[in-house]
């Protein structure tokens, strides 16, 4: 099995960290999706042109949530509860909005403009981070390792990309600090 992604992708990073924590046999290949070779690799495997994707013999899985579901099923690992799945969807929604803002910024747009698209992304990010700040300390949230890893990757990516000031989110920052020294977090740090 091979996971293909980018070292800076929080979606690829979360799978790498989780698979390492579970000691799953998963190789990893970094591609630069902005290079011609990386773009060609991406187009060849994923019509949605998203990373990460997983190749397992003839099986292709093109979404991070489905990749984890596939790995859980293949290795007979427990599935998260509905509440945990909902939290994961919120983490993904926040991350997706942040990616949209980053790509817009890199495309030369002023993402601080009072425009519907940017306003909706900022609103989603703010409300989701506030909600996750409250929920990340609950027992059910902390009982799911993939959920914790996903939240850590989101927070660390926000800090890495310097898109949002997280200083008002005490629980999220404490959560980040607890995970920051973990060996798999350090091994997959996008800053390296």
């Amino acid at each position: 099995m091979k996971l293909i992604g980018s070292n800076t992708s929080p979606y690829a990073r979360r799978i790498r960290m989780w698979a390492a924590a579970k000691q799953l046999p998963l190789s990893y290949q970094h591609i630069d999706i902005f290079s011609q070779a990386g773009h060609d690799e991406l187009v060849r495997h994923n019509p949605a042109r998203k990373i990460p994707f997983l190749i397992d013999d003839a099986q292709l899985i093109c979404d991070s949530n489905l990749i984890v579901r596939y790995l859980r099923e293949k290795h007979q690992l427990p599935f998260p509860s509905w509440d945990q799945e909902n939290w994961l969807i919120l983490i993904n929604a926040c991350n997706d909005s942040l990616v949209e803002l980053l790509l817009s910024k890199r495309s030369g747009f002023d993402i601080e403009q009072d425009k519907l698209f940017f306003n909706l992304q900022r609103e989603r990010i703010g409300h989701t981070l506030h909600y996750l700040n409250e929920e990340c300390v609950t027992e059910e949230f902390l009982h799911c390792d993939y959920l914790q890893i996903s939240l850590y990757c989101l927070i660390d990516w926000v800090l890495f990309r310097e898109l949002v000031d997280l200083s008002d989110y005490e629980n999220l920052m404490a959560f980040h600090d607890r995970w920051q020294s973990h060996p798999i977090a350090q091994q997959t740090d996008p800053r390296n």
Side-chain angles (χ1 to χ4, degrees), residues 1 14-15 18-19 22 24-26 54 56 61 64-81 84-85 88 141 143-150:
M1 280 189 299
R14 67 169 73 161
I15 295 168
W18 182 75
K22 296 293 184 190
L24 301 180
L26 181 66
L54 178 86
D56 186 18
I61 309 290
S64 59
N65 287 348
L66 292 179
I67 292 169
V68 172
R69 180 175 166 228
Y70 179 80
L71 293 173
R72 285 183 189 280
E73 191 172 293
K74 184 174 182 99
H75 296 283
Q76 300 175 344
L77 297 170
F79 285 82
S81 70
Q84 292 165 340
E85 289 277 5
L88 181 60
F141 192 101
H143 190 66
C144 180
D145 54 358
Y146 183 66
L147 187 58
Q148 287 188 64
I149 289 169
S150 296

Side-chain angles (χ1 to χ4, degrees), residues 9-15 64-65 80 82-100 121 124-138 140-142 144-158 172 175 179:
S9 165
Y11 298 101
R13 185 182 186 194
R14 67 169 73 161
I15 295 168
S64 59
N65 287 348
W82 285 111
D83 285 337
Q84 292 165 340
E85 289 277 5
N86 276 324
W87 284 319
L88 181 60
I89 293 302
L90 293 173
I91 291 169
N92 290 347
C94 185
N95 221 144
D96 289 345
S97 286
L98 286 158
V99 168
E100 294 292 340
Q121 303 315 310
R124 175 186 288 163
I125 292 163
H127 285 283
T128 305
L129 289 174
H130 176 76
Y131 183 77
L132 291 169
N133 188 63
E134 301 301 316
E135 298 297 315
C136 74
V137 294
T138 65
E140 186 168 6
F141 192 101
L142 295 171
C144 180
D145 54 358
Y146 183 66
L147 187 58
Q148 287 188 64
I149 289 169
S150 296
L151 181 59
Y152 167 75
C153 289
L154 166 66
I155 298 166
D156 197 55
W157 190 82
V158 168
L172 291 181
F175 185 91
W179 270 92

